[in-house]
Amino acid sequence: MSVSDFLIVIRPSNFMSVALRLKTFEMCRPVTNLFPLNNCVGYLFSFLSPGMSRSLGCFIKPKKRLPPNDVNMCQSKPLIEKLPKATKTKAPDDLVAPVVKKPHIYYGSLEEKERERLAKGESGILGKEGLKAGIEAGNINITSGEVFEIEEHISERQAEVLAEFERRKRARQINVSTDDSEVKACLRALGEPITLFGEGPAERRERLRNILSVVGTDALKKTKKDDEKSKKSKEEYQQTWYHEGPNSLKVARLWIANYSLPRAMKRLEEARLHKEIPETTRTSQMQELHKSLRSLNNFCSQIGDDRPISYCHFSPNSKMLATACWSGLCKLWSVPDCNLLHTLRGHNTNVGAIVFHPKSTVSLDQKDVNLASCAADGSVKLWSLDSDEPVADIEGHTVRVARVMWHPSGRFLGTTCYDRSWRLWDLEAQEEILHQEGHSMGVYDIAFHQDGSLAGTGGLDAFGRVWDLRTGRCIMFLEGHLKEIYGINFSPNGYHIATGSGDNTCKVWDLRQRRCVYTIPAHQNLVTGVKFEPIHGNFLLTGAYDNTAKIWTHPGWSPLKTLAGHEGKVMGLDISSDGQLIATCSYDRTFKLWMAE
C-alpha cells in the first residue's frame, strides 16, 4: 500500500467541521463512488501525513471496498473515530512520510558574504576558479564599494492624484464671497475672465475657489496691493510738480506778463466796442463776408520745388510768401504775382516749417533775423532777408523738430520736438529759457495767444495742452481727439482754440468753459492744419490729406467754401494778415493763392 493513498470517511454530522480543515489542503479531491453507503462522503488524498490526520481529528484508513454485509455496521456506528485529546497513537513505520529538507534561501546581496569569505581565506583553488569564472560570465559583480540607493518612486499618475486631492482639500477650506460682483472683481484682479459662456453665479464662485486653491489666497492679496500701489503712483503722477528754474526764466516770465496784460486790456476794449455795434449792422457785415468767401477762386498756382512743399507762411505786410520744401530749400515768393525772390540754402533734409518774424517787413531791418526754420534732423536756423545763407543756428535738439513759431513780441521762439517736449528760446539773451515736458509722445504743433500770455501745443498722443507762460502751469488739457493732433491755433477773440487731428475732425475749444464746444467733421482724411482769420476770427480755415481746404463760419461752424484744385495732399495753409489772401501748399509740389473775385 502506498503512503499517498488513504481514505477519510466523514459522517454528514461531522462533515462541515472537518471539511473546513480539509480546505487548507489543495491536493484532495472528493470521491463518492467508492462505497455504496448512504449520506457518506469520502475524500481521497494524493499525499497525507499522519500529522495532517491528527490536525483533522480523524483516523486514516486504507482505501478499499467494504463487503455489502457491512452496510448496517457502517450505519450503526461512527465511521470516523476521533482521537482522544489526551492519548497519542504512534503511527506505523510504513506510514511515516519522509522529511523533506527545505533549501536555505538567502535574502540580500551575496557580495558582503563573498567579501567575508575571501577575507577569512576560506576559498581554495576551486573557489577561486569558480569565482573567477562567475565574474567572467557576468554572474558575479563585485564593485569597488559604490552604493546605489533605491528610492521609493511614485508614478506620475499617483502624484497627480495626490496633488488633486490636496487641491480639493485646500479648496474646501477657502472662503469665497457670495456676492457675484465681488467674485467678478476677484477674477478680474487675478487676470481671469469674469464670466464664461453659460456660467452662472454658483459656477463662477466655484471657479474662483478652484483658481485660489491653485495660486493661493496670497495671490489675490498681492494683486490688491499692486492695484493700490498703481493707484497711488497714478495719483502721484497726476500731481503737478515744480522745480527751480534759472533766473533768466523768471526774468522772461515777468517780461511776458508785462507785455501781455496791456494787450489783453486792449483786446477786451475792442470787444466791448464791437458789442456796441447794432445787431443788424453786425449781421449785414457778416453776410457780406460770407458772400465774398463763397466767391473765392484760385488766383495763382505755382510749382514751388522738385519735392513736396510742407509749409507756407505770409509775411506781416502780406507782400511775400515763404515756402518750405522736402528738398531742404526754403523759398521766398512775391505776392500776388508769385515770382521767386530768394532761395534759402542751409538745410540738408526735409524742412518742416518756416515762419516770418512778427515785425518783419514792417519795422524790422532786412539785416536782422526775419525768418526761422526747422528740419527733420533737429536743426533750427535763423535767416535774414538780404542773404541766402542762415544768420545763426539754434543748437540743442537731437531729434526731429516739427514746427517753429514766433512769440507775438518777436523776442521768443518756440520749437516743438519729437522728444516729447517743446522749448522756448530767448533770442535777446541767446539761450534756451524753458524746456517744457508734458506730452507722452512727440509734440507736433505750437501756437501763441494773441496777447502773448498763453501757448498751445498739440501732440502725437492725441492730446493738447494750454500753458500759461507767466506761471508755467498747464491751465487746460485738451482731451477728445482719437488720433494725433497736427494743428492748433488761437482765435483773435482770445477764448477760442481750434485743433486739427488725424481723426479727420476739427475741434473748437472754449478757454472760458474749459471744454470742447463743437466738433467739426471737417474732412475725409487727416487734418494737417487749422487757421483762424487773423483780424476778427470770423471764419476758420482747415486743410487735409483729402486734397482740399475748407472754410467754416464762426460762430455756427457751417461750411462756406471748399477750396479744391490740388492733385495731392494739402500739407500747409495760411491766411494773410489783411484777410484777403489764402495760401495752400501741397504734396503735388505746388502752392496756390486764393482770392475773392
Side-chain angles (χ1 to χ4, degrees):
M1 180 184 301
S2 64
V3 181
S4 61
D5 293 334
F6 295 95
L7 180 67
I8 299 178
V9 182
I10 306 172
R11 183 172 290 183
S13 60
N14 298 332
F15 174 74
M16 291 302 296
S17 62
V18 179
L20 290 174
R21 298 176 187 179
L22 287 171
K23 283 184 68 177
T24 60
F25 305 101
E26 298 178 354
M27 295 178 290
C28 63
R29 62 182 185 275
V31 179
T32 57
N33 58 351
L34 297 177
F35 303 99
L37 303 176
N38 295 328
N39 301 326
C40 291
V41 179
Y43 276 81
L44 180 64
F45 283 75
S46 61
F47 179 83
L48 189 65
S49 65
M52 294 180 184
S53 65
R54 285 194 294 272
S55 65
L56 292 172
C58 58
F59 286 112
I60 303 172
K61 296 184 178 182
K63 182 178 68 175
K64 67 177 182 177
R65 289 185 178 274
L66 297 177
N69 54 5
D70 291 342
V71 174
N72 294 331
M73 178 192 67
C74 294
Q75 293 177 351
S76 60
K77 66 180 183 179
L79 295 179
I80 299 178
E81 299 177 7
K82 296 184 178 180
L83 291 171
K85 294 183 180 179
T87 61
K88 294 182 180 179
T89 306
K90 186 176 181 181
D93 295 338
D94 57 347
L95 297 179
V96 177
V99 179
V100 180
K101 186 177 180 180
K102 296 181 179 179
H104 292 283
I105 300 174
Y106 295 93
Y107 295 94
S109 174
L110 295 177
E111 183 179 353
E112 296 180 1
K113 297 289 184 182
E114 187 65 21
R115 287 182 181 276
E116 292 178 1
R117 191 175 65 82
L118 292 174
K120 292 178 180 179
E122 296 179 357
S123 60
I125 298 174
L126 296 176
K128 291 182 179 179
E129 293 178 354
L131 180 62
K132 186 176 180 181
I135 293 174
E136 291 176 356
N139 298 326
I140 299 176
N141 183 19
I142 300 177
T143 63
S144 60
E146 297 178 358
V147 179
F148 176 74
E149 297 181 359
I150 302 177
E151 299 179 355
E152 185 179 358
H153 294 282
I154 303 176
S155 64
E156 294 182 359
R157 177 61 182 166
Q158 290 176 337
E160 292 177 359
V161 171
L162 291 175
E164 181 64 19
F165 275 113
E166 290 295 328
R167 188 194 63 77
R168 292 182 181 179
K169 182 179 178 181
R170 291 195 302 269
R172 288 192 297 269
Q173 297 174 354
I174 295 175
N175 296 323
V176 180
S177 175
T178 56
D179 188 359
D180 191 48
S181 60
E182 292 184 10
V183 172
K184 290 182 178 179
C186 293
L187 288 171
R188 187 185 299 276
L190 293 172
E192 298 289 335
I194 62 173
T195 185
L196 300 177
F197 181 76
E199 185 181 51
E203 292 85 356
R204 191 178 300 111
R205 187 168 177 262
E206 188 64 25
R207 180 162 63 90
L208 176 59
R209 179 181 282 109
N210 293 333
I211 293 172
L212 291 177
S213 66
V214 175
V215 302
T217 56
D218 294 337
L220 189 59
K221 296 178 182 178
K222 186 177 180 181
T223 54
K224 290 181 178 179
K225 290 181 180 179
D226 293 341
D227 292 341
E228 291 177 358
K229 288 182 180 179
S230 62
K231 288 181 181 178
K232 289 181 180 179
S233 63
K234 288 181 180 179
E235 291 176 358
E236 292 176 357
Y237 179 76
Q238 291 176 356
Q239 292 178 356
T240 304
W241 57 275
Y242 302 93
H243 62 85
E244 186 176 357
N247 186 55
S248 59
L249 177 60
K250 179 181 178 181
V251 173
R253 293 195 190 283
L254 292 173
W255 191 93
I256 291 173
N258 294 327
Y259 173 82
S260 61
L261 288 175
R263 289 174 65 91
M265 294 175 62
K266 181 180 178 181
R267 175 176 53 83
L268 293 175
E269 184 64 27
E270 291 177 354
R272 294 188 189 98
L273 294 175
H274 182 73
K275 190 175 180 180
E276 293 177 357
I277 299 175
E279 183 69 24
T280 55
T281 305
R282 283 184 290 171
T283 303
S284 61
Q285 291 176 353
M286 190 64 67
Q287 289 176 352
E288 289 292 331
L289 176 64
H290 292 174
K291 184 178 179 180
S292 64
L293 291 174
R294 291 191 182 97
S295 64
L296 280 173
N297 285 320
N298 184 10
F299 173 75
C300 177
S301 180
Q302 178 69 36
I303 297 175
D305 199 271
D306 297 334
R307 298 290 305 280
I309 301 176
S310 58
Y311 199 84
C312 61
H313 190 253
F314 278 107
S315 63
N317 64 356
S318 303
K319 299 297 183 181
M320 282 192 295
L321 179 71
T323 59
C325 183
W326 280 9
S327 64
L329 299 177
C330 297
K331 297 182 179 182
L332 301 180
W333 307 83
S334 63
V335 174
D337 50 5
C338 296
N339 294 323
L340 181 61
L341 298 178
H342 296 283
T343 299
L344 307 180
R345 295 177 174 86
H347 290 288
N348 299 320
T349 183
N350 301 358
V351 182
I354 182 169
V355 290
F356 277 97
H357 190 282
K359 299 178 181 179
S360 175
T361 68
V362 176
S363 61
L364 198 64
D365 189 70
Q366 290 188 356
K367 296 181 181 180
D368 294 333
V369 175
N370 284 262
L371 297 108
S373 63
C374 63
D377 58 358
S379 61
V380 178
K381 297 183 182 296
L382 304 178
W383 311 83
S384 64
L385 292 179
D386 63 346
S387 175
D388 294 342
E389 295 182 357
V391 176
D393 292 345
I394 296 179
E395 297 178 354
H397 291 287
T398 57
V399 294
R400 177 181 175 181
V401 179
R403 292 286 188 267
V404 292
M405 185 60 63
W406 289 96
H407 186 265
S409 64
R411 175 178 173 178
F412 305 100
L413 181 70
T415 58
T416 60
C417 186
Y418 270 40
D419 62 357
R420 307 178 186 179
S421 68
W422 65 276
R423 308 188 189 197
L424 192 65
W425 308 82
D426 189 346
L427 298 185
E428 288 187 3
Q430 297 182 358
E431 63 177 345
E432 174 191 310
I433 60 172
L434 178 64
H435 184 176
Q436 182 66 59
E437 297 177 343
H439 289 271
S440 60
M441 296 182 69
V443 186
Y444 194 84
D445 197 14
I446 185 172
F448 289 101
H449 193 275
Q450 187 179 16
D451 299 340
S453 57
L454 306 176
T457 55
L460 301 179
D461 54 0
F463 299 123
R465 288 180 179 270
V466 180
W467 309 87
D468 190 343
L469 299 177
R470 299 163 296 185
T471 61
R473 295 182 179 181
C474 176
I475 63 171
M476 186 173 176
F477 185 63
L478 310 180
E479 181 181 8
H481 281 294
L482 303 178
K483 291 186 179 181
E484 305 88 352
I485 295 178
Y486 292 112
I488 186 169
N489 191 244
F490 284 91
S491 172
N493 62 18
Y495 54 86
H496 277 155
I497 306 173
T499 55
S501 170
D503 58 8
N504 309 347
T505 65
C506 174
K507 289 183 180 292
V508 181
W509 312 79
D510 196 322
L511 281 172
R512 301 168 300 182
Q513 304 178 30
R514 296 194 178 186
R515 66 181 182 90
C516 176
V517 293
Y518 199 83
T519 299
I520 305 173
H523 293 271
Q524 298 178 357
N525 209 328
L526 65 88
V527 180
T528 56
V530 291
K531 185 77 174 180
F532 278 102
E533 186 264 325
I535 301 176
H536 301 292
N538 290 328
F539 64 89
L540 176 66
L541 177 66
T542 61
Y545 270 18
D546 59 0
N547 305 351
T548 63
K550 295 183 179 181
I551 299 175
W552 310 84
T553 62
H554 177 217
W557 318 112
S558 59
L560 277 177
K561 180 71 175 179
T562 299
L563 307 179
H566 284 289
E567 297 178 358
K569 300 172 284 190
V570 175
M571 303 180 69
L573 50 85
D574 193 23
I575 304 174
S576 63
S577 57
D578 56 5
Q580 300 298 318
L581 290 172
I582 293 176
T584 57
C585 60
S586 172
Y587 193 82
D588 61 6
R589 302 171 299 164
T590 65
F591 68 90
K592 298 181 184 296
L593 296 181
W594 309 80
M595 183 184 294
E597 293 182 354

